Structures are given as structure tokens and as C-alpha cells.
Amino acid sequence: MSISARRVEDSDGALLGAAVSYTDVTEFMRAAQVKDDFIALVSHELRTPLTSIVGYVAIALDEEDLDPVLRKQLEVVARNGRRLERLVGDLLDEVQHERRPASLRDQTTDLAEIVRESVAAARPHATASEVELVADVPASIPFTGDGQRLAQVVDNLVSNAIKYSEAGGRTEVRAGVEGGSAVIRVRDTGIGIDPADHDQLFTRFFRTREATLRAIQGVGLGLSITKSIVESHGGVIEVDSEVGQGSEFRVVLPLHVVERLAS
Ligand code: ADP
């Protein structure tokens, strides 16, 4: 049941009373569940054959005396196979995050290590895109949370920073503790985002006009997944950006869980 209320005023603004409305959302919740189950099922069914396609193409590409034309064609298949794998992974994550068992959601992890690993994993992408990638991360930031999902947060932000930059750009990743929170900042010198779009950025399937016009590949799921992971850890994600000026994404994660465990 969803309940909403609003003031009712006369033409002079004097309070007359309140209007309360009750909406039965059972059907809506059921439809949302059916949709999530459907996405999970389809993604699972796609993942198995896809893994086999990508795996066999990789084996074929290992062949040394491969015809050069065939190699180029197989590389296209491999690249698109990986894109599909990412998309299927994103769709699964979208519906599965909240369903992960508590034992996976509440591990002691090291955020500094997670950030370092994400940056290392993104380095080939940065090099291929001619984007300088620099990181400033302390030795350790102990944190209680879902390490695998938090890694995804950093992976998404860093890969976006590189993807939405031009050759010669720079991406900076910084992590640290400020007050009672761990703060991760990913800043780029890329194409930027119109402030009018900031509110919608974290909505499923939203893409800016700029990204679409430049035909930069993506489906608009990464940031919505990122936001839901951050929020499930009690954190917030914020953005500062202007078109043509680059962007900064800031993730703030409260450390209180660690403090509570330590006391
Ligand atoms: P995707 O990159 O797959 O489209 P995301 O959900 O990660 O999906 O991002 C949503 C949209 O936000 C992108 O399509 C792009 O328009 C914009 N965006 C995200 N990160 C950046 C960035 N660092 N610089 C410029 N635009 C960005």
C-alpha cells in the first residue's frame, strides 16, 4: 500500500484540510518482480552459450599461423562477444545485487586495494585510448562491505572516465578517509555532462545526447548499478561536471560499520 498526503488550501492560502490518497501497489510490485525474474532468466540463459563462443574464439586467436584476414574477423567477434558479456553481466547485476547473501555483502575488505586493482585492470584500456591514468591511494582503507560489488563501482567509474575522454586526456583516481567516511574520487578531462542531465544520470538506460551523438558505446546501466551498490552500503554518489570541462564522480561511504565492529 502506498500512501500520499497533501495540504488543501483556499484561494488565500489558508489551510482547509488534507487530502490523503491510498494506492494499492501489490500489482505493481508483482509486475516488477516478474520483470526482474525474466531479466535474470534471460541473462543466465545467454551467459552460457556466450562464454563458450568467447572461449572458443580466444582459442582460435591463439593459433599462430592464422590467415590475417580471418584473424581480423575473429577479433571483431571476440570484441563484440566481450561487449555482450558485459551487457549480460550488467543486466544480471541489476536484478541480483539485493539478493546476494549477507555473508557476501558483509566482508572485511580493503577499499584501497580494491581501487588499486581496478586502476591496474583499467590500464590497458587507458593506454589503448591514449588517456593518462593516475592514482593516489593510501596503503589501506579497511571497510566492511561487498568487496566484489565495490570493485564494480570503481571499475564502472574508471572505465567511464576513460571511455568518455579523448586521446590526450587524463583520468585521476583518488581514495582516502575524510571525517567518518571513505571517499573515492574519479576525475576526468573528458566530454563532460550538461548539469541539466545530472539528475537523470543514475536512471536505468539514460545516456546523454553527447554520448549518443559521438556514438560512444554503452547502454546506460553502469551508473544505475553503481548508485544502487553505493546506496546499499549506506553511501552516496555525486557528480560535478560541465560539457567540455570533464567530470568528477565522488563516492562517499560511511565507515561507521568498521568503527562499530572495532569498539
Ligand atoms: P553507459 O556508459 O553504458 O552509457 P552509464 O550508466 O555508465 O552507461 O552512464 C550513463 C551515461 O552517463 C553515459 O551514457 C554518458 O552519457 C554519461 N556519462 C557517464 N560517465 C561519464 C563521464 N565520465 N563523462 C561524460 N559522460 C559520462
Side-chain angles (χ1 to χ4, degrees), residues 84-98:
L84 269 180
E85 275 188 327
R86 272 198 302 276
L87 173 60
V88 167
D90 275 357
L91 285 170
L92 267 177
D93 288 342
E94 182 68 10
V95 294
Q96 282 187 338
H97 176 63
E98 295 308 329

Side-chain angles (χ1 to χ4, degrees), residues 124-186:
H125 181 195
T127 309
S129 313
E130 295 176 45
V131 170
E132 186 188 2
L133 177 59
V134 292
D136 179 5
V137 182
S140 162
I141 308 177
F143 190 80
T144 300
D146 187 333
Q148 204 180 320
R149 291 291 180 253
L150 290 166
Q152 220 179 325
V153 166
V154 190
D155 285 347
N156 282 344
L157 296 180
V158 176
S159 87
N160 276 352
I162 299 169
K163 187 165 78 166
Y164 295 107
S165 288
E166 283 160 351
R170 178 179 162 95
T171 292
E172 284 173 21
V173 185
R174 280 180 289 146
V177 174
E178 294 173 24
S181 301
V183 182
I184 301 167
R185 292 186 164 83
V186 180

